Amino acid sequence: MKNKLVTIFGGGGFLGRYVVKELANLGYRINVITRTPSLHLDLKTAGHVGQISVTYCNIHDDGQVLKAIGNSYAVINLIGLLYQKGKNSFENIHINFPKKLAQICKEKNISKFIHISAMGVDTSSSKYARSKLMAERGIVSTFPESYILRPNIMFGQEDNFFNMFARLACFSPMLPAIGGGHTKFQPVYVCDVAKSIAILVDNDKYDAGIYELYGNEIVTFKDLLKFILKTIGKKRYIAKVPFPVASFMGKCMSVLPVPMLTEDQVEALKFDCIANNSYKSLKDLGIVAAQFEHIVPTYLVRFK
């Protein structure tokens, strides 16, 4: 047992569950920070008795954040939003909080600070991407030795992409190919992203900076929709939805408690999300990227 403490903000989310498992297997003590501890107590089963704690923290309260970090060896920020609702704005969650967290970690001499950003923030004009890019700049100016990871669209058993469209195909006669479905992606396996985080926590040989995490295959949005339909054995019409129409749809859906699409997400789809080879990648961490064609069918089988 290493007996080093790692604090994970947002550890109860999709990626967080896999990060907890990776770090627990390496012997770290883990403090999972979440708004709803009672919903994530199952995370404790990923380690030995007492190895993993699940703690409430109001991230807008500096005192609570400071207490949550405690004597951590490493701090990981996985908190992020796909859409804005009330106080949970991109400015508050993507820009202000990460910079504040980085500053606290710097003042407390935390050995490692790892922040999850997103691929494509260099080029996209969406509010989501711009807020992620501003967060990166704020972190680097505060804690230059930070590790910033930019994953592509992530796939895995609980993902919100392949599962969503497979579910949609179960009751809808068509699937929407926004902007014609020409946007390019390089999907990355959530386990590979989690391994990247664990490797950076557990090793001192890797330089700080930006890492882009992506798969080897470049595929279009339309390619992914076709793959989903083939995997679940359903025939559906793939409708080309022009960006202006999709933007209007996103604007209307934004009023829903959990919108399936927002205007800003449509804006993001106007830009390809592929590597520009300017940053370090999975290969630099010794990870061979898993292919989505091999993994996704194992969990979409329930939609057949």
Side-chain angles (χ1 to χ4, degrees):
M1 182 70 70
K2 288 184 171 63
N3 205 36
K4 289 182 178 179
L5 176 64
V6 178
T7 297
I8 307 175
F9 286 84
F14 171 43
L15 172 59
R17 293 179 168 274
Y18 293 89
V19 175
V20 169
K21 184 177 180 180
E22 289 287 338
L23 291 173
N25 288 339
L26 290 173
Y28 287 93
R29 291 187 296 117
I30 303 163
N31 185 18
V32 178
I33 305 300
T34 174
R35 292 178 298 173
T36 53
S38 60
L39 298 180
H40 304 295
L41 295 178
D42 59 300
L43 290 174
K44 293 185 176 184
T45 62
H48 303 294
V49 175
Q51 185 181 359
I52 301 169
S53 60
V54 183
T55 309
Y56 169 80
C57 175
N58 178 1
I59 63 172
H60 304 295
D61 185 322
D62 291 4
Q64 289 191 32
V65 173
L66 191 63
K67 182 179 179 181
I69 292 174
N71 61 342
S72 297
Y73 165 72
V75 172
I76 303 168
N77 180 37
L78 305 181
I79 296 177
L81 301 172
L82 292 177
Y83 54 86
Q84 305 184 85
K85 283 288 182 182
K87 292 177 65 177
N88 287 329
S89 65
F90 290 150
E91 182 177 6
N92 285 336
I93 305 301
H94 286 178
I95 302 174
N96 297 338
F97 174 66
K99 185 175 181 180
K100 175 180 69 177
L101 187 59
Q103 184 175 355
I104 292 175
C105 288
K106 186 67 175 178
E107 292 172 353
K108 288 182 65 66
N109 294 316
I110 300 299
S111 296
K112 293 183 179 180
F113 178 60
I114 299 174
H115 173 75
I116 298 297
S117 184
M119 271 188 69
V121 297
D122 288 322
T123 56
S124 178
S125 64
S126 70
K127 294 177 182 177
Y128 170 88
R130 290 203 304 268
S131 68
K132 284 287 191 178
L133 184 60
M134 290 180 67
E136 291 183 6
R137 291 171 177 170
I139 290 169
V140 171
S141 67
T142 305
F143 197 154
E145 305 84 10
S146 300
Y147 295 90
I148 296 174
L149 308 188
R150 294 176 172 179
N152 209 283
I153 181 172
M154 287 188 285
F155 62 90
Q157 189 169 354
E158 308 89 351
D159 72 52
N160 197 37
F161 182 87
F162 290 95
N163 281 300
M164 181 182 72
F165 284 106
R167 192 176 297 111
L168 182 62
C170 289
F171 62 84
S172 173
M174 57 82 74
L175 293 182
I178 297 172
H182 302 300
T183 310
K184 296 176 181 177
F185 298 96
Q186 288 180 267
V188 63
Y189 190 24
V190 64
C191 288
D192 289 339
V193 178
K195 286 178 185 175
S196 301
I197 295 173
I199 286 172
L200 292 174
V201 169
D202 201 46
N203 292 271
D204 294 325
K205 63 180 181 180
Y206 298 104
D207 295 331
I210 296 174
Y211 288 76
E212 285 193 335
L213 311 180
Y214 51 87
N216 297 322
E217 308 100 320
I218 297 178
V219 288
T220 65
F221 188 10
K222 188 174 182 179
D223 290 334
L224 293 175
L225 294 180
K226 288 181 176 179
F227 170 77
I228 291 170
L229 291 175
K230 182 180 179 181
T231 300
I232 64 177
K234 295 190 184 329
K235 293 184 179 180
R236 298 291 184 266
Y237 177 64
I238 297 179
K240 295 181 179 179
V241 183
F243 282 123
V245 175
S247 293
F248 177 74
M249 292 169 58
K251 191 172 185 178
C252 294
M253 291 184 186
S254 294
V255 301
L256 299 174
V258 183
M260 183 179 293
L261 181 71
T262 68
E263 194 174 6
D264 191 61
Q265 288 170 348
V266 174
E267 181 66 24
L269 287 171
K270 295 178 181 178
F271 303 86
D272 291 334
C273 187
I274 57 177
N276 59 21
N277 299 315
S278 298
Y279 304 100
K280 295 178 281 291
S281 66
L282 289 174
K283 291 181 180 179
D284 294 287
L285 297 173
I287 297 174
V288 178
Q291 297 181 355
F292 71 89
E293 297 99 323
H294 297 162
I295 305 294
V296 174
T298 64
Y299 59 87
L300 287 194
V301 66
R302 67 185 184 276
F303 293 105
K304 279 194 171 184

